[in-house]
Amino acid sequence: VAGLIVTIASLLGIPSSIIGGKLADECGRKKTYLIVQGAAAFALIPCAFIKNPIPIVMFLLISTFFNGVVR
């Protein structure tokens, strides 16, 4: 199960980097970086309060996607 989660997280990096490049071209690098990095941070906040591991993994994958956009 852990390997599957890591694989999904790695595969999220492909479309997220393409989306990030497009956003940076259209909106500017600084604006894109600030908004998307903030979204990645906000996706991690619920992980501190949820006890069920399934939503935690979902929020971590969302945060991973946004971090891929920043890259």
Side-chain angles (χ1 to χ4, degrees):
V1 174
L4 180 64
I5 293 169
V6 171
T7 302
I8 292 170
S10 296
L11 290 175
L12 281 174
I14 298 168
S16 65
S17 63
I18 294 171
I19 292 168
K22 185 77 171 160
L23 282 174
D25 288 342
E26 291 180 3
C27 302
R29 288 185 310 167
K30 185 183 235 179
K31 189 178 203 180
T32 301
Y33 181 82
L34 290 174
I35 292 170
V36 177
Q37 193 66 34
F42 280 120
L44 291 175
I45 292 171
C47 296
F49 304 106
I50 298 173
K51 295 189 191 303
N52 189 354
I54 294 172
I56 290 174
V57 170
M58 296 306 294
F59 281 115
L60 288 173
L61 290 174
I62 292 168
S63 179
T64 301
F65 176 81
F66 286 132
N67 278 328
V69 172
V70 171
R71 288 189 207 121

